[in-house]
Amino acid sequence: MNKALIINAHQYYPFSEGKLNATLVDKTVSFLSAKGYETRVVTMAEPLDIEQQLELHRWADVVILQSPINWMGLPWSFKKYMDEVYTAGMGGALCNGDGRSADNPKANYGRGGTLTNTRYMLSVTFNAPAESFNDEHEFFEGKSVDDLLFPAHMNFKFFGMQSIPTFSCFDVMKNADIERDLARFESHLNTHF
């Protein structure tokens, strides 16, 4: 049986309660369960047991990070999660240090990952419209969503994980089309799982 760890990285704010991210998590659980996956969900509101989180990462065949993008990055509560859990995993649970050796300390940085049979997917929600990406005349100066998410991709690559294409919902606060987003999400999941 395949196993999926789904991380809901939403950080609650009165103006952003996390309903869309929670809906996407629920849809992921339902979809993957129907495909025969065993699923586990972690939220940033839960008390953090570092060893349990490391074990969940080792257990999973796929890790799905469901997150809003706040101020061009992941929420601070997930950054804290990464600082505590992922740093603790550097002793072999997620990677063997940074991959370098004393014999050749200039080579192989980021190549010590132990989760080489694990895939990951980023699923993100933006206040920004889709049109603000991939256009040199718009705010992101021609950059793509994955360009903006490069640090998140590198974090998972550091553990040896393989990427599944990113899914994005755009303009979710001012011009949302949730029905369309949910249909696109289901299609994305069908394509990659």
Side-chain angles (χ1 to χ4, degrees):
M1 174 179 281
N2 289 321
K3 300 173 289 283
L5 171 61
I6 303 153
I7 302 173
N8 184 345
H10 184 266
Q11 170 63 43
Y12 176 84
Y13 293 100
F15 61 88
S16 177
E17 298 176 8
K19 292 177 184 174
L20 177 56
N21 282 281
T23 298
L24 291 165
V25 166
D26 290 345
K27 191 162 194 65
T28 303
V29 169
S30 295
F31 179 88
L32 292 178
S33 295
K35 293 270 189 178
Y37 279 75
E38 185 178 350
T39 62
R40 300 283 185 271
V41 176
V42 171
T43 69
M44 297 303 98
E46 297 173 29
L48 185 60
D49 179 319
I50 292 171
E51 288 304 316
Q52 179 185 43
Q53 296 305 309
L54 291 172
E55 184 53 39
L56 284 171
H57 279 75
R58 289 191 301 261
W59 166 84
D61 298 307
V62 63
V63 175
I64 299 172
L65 176 63
Q66 180 61 58
S67 182
I69 299 303
N70 296 345
W71 295 108
M72 313 314 149
L74 300 171
W76 70 268
S77 53
F78 184 67
K79 177 66 169 90
K80 180 178 186 283
Y81 178 98
M82 289 190 298
D83 285 346
E84 294 182 2
V85 174
Y86 293 170
T87 300
M90 289 188 69
L94 305 180
C95 61
N96 293 309
D98 66 13
R100 296 180 289 171
S101 69
D103 296 339
N104 191 358
K106 301 289 184 187
N108 296 317
Y109 178 81
R111 303 287 184 199
T114 59
L115 300 182
T116 56
N117 293 322
T118 306
R119 299 182 307 151
Y120 76 93
M121 184 180 91
L122 305 178
S123 176
V124 294
T125 59
F126 286 97
N127 179 48
E131 293 78 8
S132 63
F133 292 94
N134 304 309
D135 182 338
E136 64 185 27
H137 302 291
E138 289 293 334
F139 180 77
F140 291 104
E141 301 176 354
K143 303 293 190 281
S144 71
V145 166
D146 286 311
D147 290 333
L148 182 64
L149 298 175
F150 184 74
H153 285 295
M154 291 300 98
N155 287 331
F156 289 110
K157 183 179 180 180
F158 199 83
F159 303 136
M161 299 167 79
Q162 306 302 311
S163 175
I164 297 169
T166 301
F167 178 80
S168 303
C169 294
F170 299 99
D171 216 356
V172 300
M173 295 182 77
K174 295 192 173 129
N175 194 27
D177 188 347
I178 302 305
E179 292 303 318
R180 182 175 162 272
D181 286 339
L182 293 176
R184 286 188 316 104
F185 188 58
E186 185 167 345
S187 176
H188 186 85
L189 293 175
N190 270 310
T191 299
H192 300 291
F193 293 92

